[in-house]
Structures are given as structure tokens and as C-alpha cells.
Amino acid sequence: MGCSRWRAALNFGHLKAQSRLPVFLTMILLFTYLCYCLSSRCDALPRPVFSSGAPEGGRLLGSAVPLLRHRLADSAGGMRPLDNISIFNNFGSKKFPQAIIIGVKKGGTRALLEFLRVHPDVRAVGTEPHFFDRCYDKGLGWYRSLMPRTLEGQITMEKTPSYFITKEAPRRVHALSRHTKLIVVVRDPVTRAISDYTQTLSKSPGLPSFQNLAFRNDSATLIDTSWSAVRIGIYAKHLENWLRYFPLSRFLFVSGERLVTDPAGEMGRVQDFLGLKRVVTDKHFYFNQTKGFPCLKKPEGSSRPRCLGKSKGRPHPQIPTEVLLRLRDFYRPFNLKFYQMTGQDFGWS
Ligand SMILES: Nc1ncnc2c1ncn2[C@@H]1O[C@H](COP(=O)(O)OS(=O)(=O)O)[C@@H](OP(=O)(O)O)[C@H]1O
């Protein structure tokens, strides 16, 4: 094509010769952007992370995928293996989650999600989206863009433990879909509070002692319910808020304690609730003596087993017995109410 014809093709009439170059460059940029979007690479999403340090990537069909993923991981020198292979990420479509782990903070939510991800029919966001609490104004399009692609029959999941205590969350989740399955991992509220405190302490070493924060002012008896570490453990109160929007049948309450002592048993209940085949069984777990927690066995073809990261299963500070007893007294009526509401006795004394 001769120069004159290019000129004719790009002749915008009223534009002077000097102003054509920026227009041309803009068109090239727009065209490149369009191509980029069409190849599904312009999702404004944070990439999923895998807190255990294990490889994270798209799941392919069937059981060959973990094997392939780990082979790739091994040969990728620790890099997430599938990130650079766009074809793997383009299967299926992004859907809103059909099931959400809504709580509770420090209950064992990460362990549950990572155990579930072993299942070939579960695909989940690695990071916590915080859509129904902090990011609601970003809109549903943003939320869906965070989701991994799923094929027919696969379940999309996310976990954000703060949803359970967020006043607006039940209404918002319900507005998206009243069919959403809700999973709550609960743990003895006293241990949960100490776990919560341990996490804050790890970030702010100058934090006052647990007992200073747990009791109101200088009182040695009055529990400070304005402290979030205490408030989160009043499960009955938070559940009441959710039950205004969802029937009990939409919930599954997972015992955080049993998730540690009998992960396969608890996973059986979870898979049944989600309508999944019981694929994740005791064969997938081993107890890591050093960590003191169950970990995922190494998948075939990988030389590495998978435990959760260092921030999961941390040692807790020693709390005076009288403080623990007082807290137990405080939680007892709320726990009993919670057992009654859920029809489950979690055995917290
Ligand atoms: N398998 C396995 N490995 C490690 N840790 C396990 C596991 N199962 C349950 N837990 C318990 O999970 C607690 C952290 O809970 P969450 O993942 O819900 O925490 S968070 O809210 O996402 O920060 C974490 O609390 P801490 O022990 O206080 O660290 C663990 O007790």
C-alpha cells in the first residue's frame, strides 16, 4: 500500500497532519487493549495466593491435574506453575460463589478451604475478597471477576471470615442469591479469642496483656464485649442476624476442633453438604508432629507435603487460669444458645 493510500485511509478531514500521529497511536493502543481483554487477561483481580506456599493454579479436568500441577511446580523452581499458561486459565467461566465460608475468624477457615481445594470439583479464590463487608461498593462485576473459572458441575467458593460478624452481610449475600450455601467454622470462643489476640500481638508487640483487654477498665470480672476478640465469639448473636435472611438448612457448622483431630471426618460432612462426591478422605491427610496439625499428604509426583503457613497453628501466650475461667463463664450461656440454635453440641466447657 502506497503512502498516499495510507494517508487517504487515515484522513480524518479536519485533522491537521501533526495531530494524526497521536490519533493513530491511540488507535493502536485501543486495539492492543481490546486484544488483551479478549484473551481474558484484563481481569482486574488479585491473583489467588496459596498461604501454605504450595503451588496454586487453575484446575483442569479430573485427577490428572494435581499431578501435572505439581510436576510443573517442581520444574518451575517454586514459581506458581500455571500462571504463565493462559490456556489453562481460559476453561469455563467465572461464576458467583455457590458456597461461602463466612466465618469465623481464627476458626480454621484457611485449613478448610485448602482441604476443599483438593477436590477436583471445587475451585476457590485464594485471597479473601471481603466483598460483602469492605468492598461492596466495587459492585458485582468486580466480585465475579475475582472468581476462578469453573466448568459445569464445579463449585465456586470463597472465604472471608469477617462476613459472619458483619451486620449488612446476610442481606447482601441474600440479595445475590438466596441459594448460597453458608459454611461457618466455629471454635471454642475462649481459644478463638486467644488466637485472635496472638495474631494482633504478632503485628503489634507492644499490645497490652490479654487480660487488660478482656476486662472492662480495671474490673477483674466485667468482660469487655466491645473488644472484637471477645465479641466475635458470641456466635449466637451473629447467627441470629443471618437467620433473618437464611433458613438453618442453608448453613453447615464445622467444628474447628474436629477439623484438627479428625479432618477427614469433618471433610466428609462438608462434601455431603456441598453435594460433592467424598473425594477428600483420610488418605489425603497426615499428622505433622512438628507442626502439631494435620497437613495434606504430598500429592503423587510431588516431593513436598503441604502444611499451612507459619501464621496458622501458632503457639499461644499463657493466660492466667482465673481469666480463662471468667471468660468461660461469660461465654457459657451464649454457647448453649448456639448449640440450641444449630442443634449441635460443640462440647466447649
Ligand atoms: N491443619 C491446620 N493447620 C494449621 N492450623 C489449623 C489447621 N486446622 C485448623 N487450624 C487452626 O486454624 C487457625 C487459624 O484459623 P483461620 O484460618 O480461620 O484464621 S484467619 O481468620 O483466616 O486468620 C489456627 O489458629 P492458631 O492455632 O491460633 O494459629 C489453627 O489452630
Side-chain angles (χ1 to χ4, degrees):
M1 190 189 281
C3 288
S4 58
R5 288 194 63 191
W6 267 113
R7 238 177 250 135
L10 294 170
N11 187 0
F12 293 96
H14 61 287
L15 293 172
K16 290 197 163 59
Q18 301 97 301
S19 62
R20 282 182 204 142
L21 186 62
V23 173
F24 185 59
L25 286 174
T26 309
M27 285 176 68
I28 290 178
L29 270 172
L30 280 172
F31 182 71
T32 314
Y33 180 68
L34 198 68
C35 290
Y36 188 73
C37 286
L38 285 174
S39 67
S40 298
R41 286 175 161 273
C42 67
D43 312 318
L45 78 167
R47 286 264 172 209
V49 295
F50 198 74
S51 67
S52 64
E56 167 70 9
R59 180 174 278 125
L60 284 175
L61 297 164
S63 57
V65 179
L67 176 61
L68 173 58
R69 186 161 52 191
H70 287 280
R71 287 222 173 113
L72 285 164
D74 290 342
S75 61
M79 279 174 58
R80 291 182 316 197
L82 299 185
D83 277 2
N84 298 328
I85 307 175
S86 62
I87 189 167
F88 288 171
N89 295 334
N90 285 340
F91 281 126
S93 58
K94 292 174 179 233
K95 301 178 189 77
F96 291 116
Q98 295 97 326
I100 306 178
I101 301 172
I102 57 170
V104 299
K105 184 183 177 194
K106 307 317 290 177
T109 56
R110 173 57 59 188
L112 177 62
L113 191 72
E114 297 311 328
F115 296 167
L116 268 169
R117 291 171 111 173
V118 173
H119 200 294
D121 292 336
V122 174
R123 301 232 45 223
V125 198
T127 49
E128 295 175 7
H130 283 279
F131 176 63
F132 296 106
D133 56 349
R134 296 181 205 153
C135 305
Y136 198 61
D137 56 350
K138 288 192 190 275
L140 287 170
W142 176 84
Y143 185 47
R144 188 161 60 181
S145 77
L146 302 183
M147 299 303 146
R149 291 176 187 279
T150 48
L151 298 169
E152 194 73 31
Q154 288 182 319
I155 294 179
T156 305
M157 289 192 72
E158 68 122 317
K159 80 120 180 158
T160 305
S162 47
Y163 290 161
F164 190 58
I165 57 147
T166 302
K167 197 165 169 285
E168 302 78 19
R171 179 176 47 79
R172 291 172 174 177
V173 176
H174 187 267
L176 176 61
S177 171
R178 64 193 173 89
H179 300 294
T180 311
K181 293 185 178 183
L182 307 163
I183 300 178
V184 195
V185 189
V186 285
R187 178 183 186 186
D188 179 341
V190 177
T191 329
R192 198 221 67 80
I194 300 168
S195 171
D196 205 336
Y197 171 78
T198 309
Q199 172 160 293
T200 317
L201 190 65
S202 72
K203 292 173 188 161
S204 328
L207 200 69
S209 68
F210 180 86
Q211 47 273 39
N212 269 355
L213 295 166
F215 294 114
R216 264 197 246 166
N217 297 326
D218 289 329
S219 157
T221 47
L222 287 176
I223 301 292
D224 189 349
T225 51
S226 70
W227 186 32
S228 69
V230 166
R231 204 175 56 249
I232 292 171
I234 310 175
Y235 303 144
K237 178 176 150 297
H238 305 299
L239 181 60
E240 246 165 34
N241 191 29
W242 281 89
L243 289 175
R244 285 167 46 212
Y245 291 88
F246 290 93
L248 196 62
S249 57
R250 210 74 78 224
F251 292 84
L252 180 76
F253 300 94
V254 173
S255 158
E257 285 82 14
R258 280 200 296 272
L259 199 59
V260 176
T261 56
D262 179 19
E266 220 48 16
M267 286 306 292
R269 293 181 62 234
V270 177
Q271 290 168 98
D272 291 350
F273 174 70
L274 294 174
L276 295 167
K277 238 178 100 183
R278 284 194 175 204
V279 170
V280 185
T281 63
D282 52 356
K283 290 190 192 73
H284 289 86
F285 301 100
Y286 76 99
F287 191 81
N288 185 307
Q289 296 292 345
T290 318
K291 189 159 178 74
F293 282 89
C295 297
L296 285 168
K297 267 185 197 163
K298 55 182 180 187
E300 261 181 83
S302 166
S303 54
R304 281 181 303 171
R306 284 189 269 174
C307 288
L308 295 192
K310 284 198 179 81
S311 67
K312 308 291 175 183
R314 279 187 278 229
H316 294 172
Q318 192 78 36
I319 309 294
T321 313
E322 60 276 15
V323 175
L324 297 179
L325 289 175
R326 177 67 199 99
L327 259 185
R328 295 214 172 280
D329 287 345
F330 167 78
Y331 278 122
R332 193 163 298 113
F334 298 113
N335 288 346
L336 289 175
K337 179 87 191 297
F338 185 66
Y339 298 168
Q340 188 187 52
M341 290 167 88
T342 59
Q344 267 175 264
D345 181 344
F346 290 90
W348 307 314
S349 50

